[in-house]
Amino acid sequence: METDTIKIHFLGAAGTVTGSKYLLDTGDRKILVDCGLFQGLKELRLKNWEYPPVNVNEIDAVLLTHGHMDHTGYLPRLVKQGFKGPIYGTYPTLDIAKIILNDSAKIQEQEAERANKEGYSKHSPAEPLYDLKDVEKTIPYFKGIPPNQWLPLLKNVKARFQYNGHILGATYIELDVQGKRFVFSGDIGRTNDLLLYPPVKPKRADVLFMESTYGGRFHPEEEEAIPLIEKLVNETISRGGSLFIPSFSVERAQLMMLIFWRLLKENKIPKVPMIMDSPMGANVLDLFHRTRDWHRLEDDECDKMCSHFTVVSSYHETMELRSDDKPKIVIAGSGMLTGGRMLNYLETQAQNPDNTLLFVGYQAEGTRGRKLLEGEKELKVYGKTVSFKMQVAEIEGLSAHADHAELLDWLSNIEERPERIFIIHGEKEGAEALKKGIKETYGWESEIPQLYGIEEIR
């Protein structure tokens, strides 16, 4: 029965930066915004195996802000647990979710098979969180919608998805419920991005759910980052090493391809094999061709860029390339080294001090990427510990996430003070910094909810 009180259940990305899930309960309608996997710390990853503390079969609909794993990766588990409603997102978001979920399921199946074969799992037998059949059962619930249009979602509930930069198809979501406007920021993109347009800013938000991934942190400009990449490539290749870039296969991989191609075209880096080892990334490149309205790339530029890269699709090719010591540039997932094909390269190449591991995106607490950035000299991969002697570099300014100043600017068109602001999707330091920034800039109070907390909106 509908009441005047709306309850918000913080089922993920509250007090942490991963696993985005927010349940809005009106009393007779339940809407889940985002459905992501927990990544990073083991204590968080284990939560992926637990049932969320709500009745899944009572959820009426899922709304997706964008296609990244920490916003969509739990969907097959949700369906296994009894969800049978529509899953709404923009067409590029759903295309990316299909690519990511299939790739994730395939990797999980392969890793479980390898763990059972080599006997390094604590579980007997090791099993994937979900498999390709689970993904196949999830896709039919997908329902694509255009951006910037109000959608009558349920009784007394309408939704609108607004362009937000970050990756192809990414949006923030406005929900009008019982006279109040709830705004879920999703992940906010950059103001000046080589690939994507600036985010649209909201004008009204009675209740705001605001991401804080880069709260308190400031990106250098992309123009400053590119000369650093040029220098890093030349130094690595000149000493006979290879450059390895762990990268998310959506947007970041394509951005790195564009940068390397432009540097090569301008004769600023040597001509060495350039490899994009990700079938998922290859599928996303195809998506760039089909989504011209969502990004800045011209079709011919995309074609020329792709012609300079070897796109690896088969696992067999990966296993051959990882033993090749000739200088090259390799882009492969995953961006935080939580899985993916980059681990195969590191298993054989991590002990070579001539190689460079370059991080170009956010590394969440507890991930392999974060540990290596903090100076870890050993790497646990596929049940074994390998010595890590590669050079490590991090270049900021290429993140697909808005920084502190851009997050605050995104709020600048809101005409009236929100009744409640919840700072989400951030580690403690970032969330606290953004809370302070909002107070100093706008005079608005905000709060940082805790995981599995419930808030009432009246």
Side-chain angles (χ1 to χ4, degrees):
M1 180 178 177
E2 192 168 292
T3 67
D4 292 333
T5 300
I6 296 170
K7 291 183 179 179
I8 305 295
H9 297 252
F10 292 89
L11 303 178
T16 183
V17 78
T18 70
S20 289
K21 298 182 204 71
Y22 311 101
L23 185 73
L24 187 150
D25 181 359
T26 69
D28 68 343
R29 292 286 182 264
K30 294 180 174 65
I31 301 163
L32 186 66
V33 178
D34 282 338
C35 190
L37 272 190
F38 288 107
Q39 298 170 300
L41 293 171
K42 184 177 181 180
E43 64 194 64
L44 289 174
R45 299 197 312 271
L46 289 174
K47 294 183 183 300
N48 293 323
W49 294 89
E50 301 171 1
Y51 276 71
V54 295
N55 292 323
V56 168
N57 57 5
E58 293 181 0
I59 298 173
D60 293 286
V62 175
L63 281 62
L64 302 176
T65 59
H66 66 288
H68 270 152
M69 180 67 72
D70 61 331
H71 294 258
T72 66
Y74 195 78
L75 285 169
R77 291 287 290 184
L78 198 76
V79 171
K80 285 182 78 169
Q81 292 161 4
F83 174 75
K84 290 182 169 58
I87 298 169
Y88 293 104
T90 63
Y91 290 98
T93 287
L94 296 183
D95 283 342
I96 288 168
K98 289 176 192 175
I99 294 167
I100 281 181
L101 292 177
N102 276 300
D103 190 71
S104 170
K106 191 172 182 179
I107 288 171
Q108 289 180 61
E109 288 180 355
Q110 289 172 344
E111 290 185 351
E113 182 181 353
R114 183 171 179 177
N116 289 324
K117 184 179 178 181
E118 299 181 13
Y120 60 78
S121 174
K122 295 178 182 177
H123 305 281
S124 183
E127 294 180 351
L129 185 65
Y130 52 81
D131 58 24
L132 287 165
K133 289 182 179 178
D134 296 322
V135 175
E136 189 178 334
K137 293 174 184 175
T138 302
I139 302 302
Y141 295 110
F142 283 10
K143 294 192 179 300
I145 58 167
N148 312 323
Q149 296 180 21
W150 283 105
L151 168 73
L153 192 66
L154 300 163
K155 181 184 175 184
N156 298 326
V157 179
K158 63 179 181 177
R160 183 166 64 174
F161 293 63
Q162 298 271 45
Y163 186 93
N164 214 22
H166 187 56
I167 66 170
L168 287 177
T171 59
Y172 65 88
I173 295 175
E174 298 170 302
L175 276 170
D176 275 10
V177 185
Q178 297 173 201
K180 289 188 187 293
R181 180 161 300 174
F182 294 77
V183 176
F184 295 83
S185 75
D187 287 356
I188 299 166
R190 306 293 306 280
T191 304
N192 298 303
D193 190 291
L194 285 175
L195 287 178
L196 303 173
Y197 300 109
V200 172
K201 299 177 186 178
K203 293 183 179 179
R204 176 188 168 193
D206 298 316
V207 182
L208 174 63
F209 300 80
M210 183 71 186
E211 71 113 327
S212 58
T213 311
Y214 273 88
R217 299 174 64 184
F218 298 86
H219 300 314
E221 294 297 321
E222 282 181 341
E223 290 76 12
E224 297 175 36
I226 292 171
L228 295 175
I229 293 174
E230 176 189 341
K231 182 172 182 284
L232 204 59
V233 172
N234 285 307
E235 287 177 350
T236 302
I237 301 302
S238 67
R239 64 174 180 256
S242 293
L243 182 66
F244 295 92
I245 304 100
S247 177
F248 296 109
S249 299
V250 182
E251 201 273 340
R252 194 72 46 81
Q254 291 75 36
L255 175 60
M256 295 309 299
M257 289 175 69
L258 180 65
I259 291 171
F260 287 130
W261 172 66
R262 287 181 176 174
L263 288 172
L264 183 66
K265 186 175 66 169
E266 295 166 8
N267 296 314
K268 291 183 175 178
I269 60 174
K271 189 172 184 179
V272 296
M274 296 198 293
I275 296 156
M276 210 265 283
D277 191 343
S278 169
M280 179 163 64
N283 289 331
V284 174
L285 282 170
D286 179 59
L287 185 59
F288 266 80
H289 284 290
R290 294 187 278 113
T291 53
R292 279 293 304 119
D293 293 343
W294 287 87
H295 64 83
R296 300 177 188 269
L297 273 187
E298 298 294 338
D299 284 340
D300 65 331
E301 188 169 36
C302 196
D303 290 335
K304 291 174 183 175
M305 174 181 81
C306 293
S307 70
H308 284 81
F309 275 80
T310 298
V311 179
V312 174
S313 55
S314 80
Y315 192 65
H316 177 71
E317 287 179 272
T318 301
M319 299 307 278
E320 286 186 350
L321 281 167
R322 72 178 194 151
S323 299
D324 176 16
D325 293 328
K326 295 174 184 174
K328 57 188 168 295
I329 296 170
V330 179
I331 303 169
S334 69
M336 293 186 282
L337 297 179
T338 54
R341 295 191 179 185
M342 183 55 76
L343 295 181
N344 289 290
Y345 290 94
L346 294 186
E347 188 179 12
T348 57
Q349 296 292 331
Q351 296 182 52
N352 185 350
D354 292 330
N355 293 332
T356 300
L357 184 64
L358 170 61
F359 291 104
V360 293
Y362 186 79
Q363 304 300 306
E365 186 181 5
T367 60
R368 289 185 182 91
R370 179 73 156 259
K371 290 175 182 176
L372 292 176
L373 267 180
E374 292 174 347
E376 189 93 17
K377 294 303 180 186
E378 290 184 334
L379 178 69
K380 189 172 182 180
V381 52
Y382 300 127
K384 66 183 78 168
T385 301
V386 297
S387 175
F388 185 84
K389 298 178 181 178
M390 295 171 77
Q391 307 291 314
V392 177
E394 179 184 26
I395 292 182
E396 298 183 357
L398 299 172
S399 174
H401 283 273
D403 70 4
H404 185 81
E406 290 167 324
L407 290 171
L408 291 174
D409 180 65
W410 188 80
L411 302 171
S412 62
N413 285 1
I414 295 177
E415 294 166 355
E416 294 185 14
R417 176 195 298 260
E419 296 172 20
R420 304 279 295 273
I421 300 175
F422 298 104
I423 307 294
I424 55 169
H425 202 282
E427 293 173 6
K428 182 179 179 181
E429 188 176 325
E432 293 284 1
L434 185 62
K435 179 180 179 178
K436 181 181 178 183
I438 291 173
K439 176 67 174 176
E440 291 175 347
T441 306
Y442 298 102
W444 301 343
E445 297 294 341
S446 54
E447 49 203 298
I448 302 171
Q450 292 305 303
L451 188 61
Y452 300 140
I454 301 172
E455 293 288 340
E456 293 187 349
I457 309 295
R458 300 182 185 275

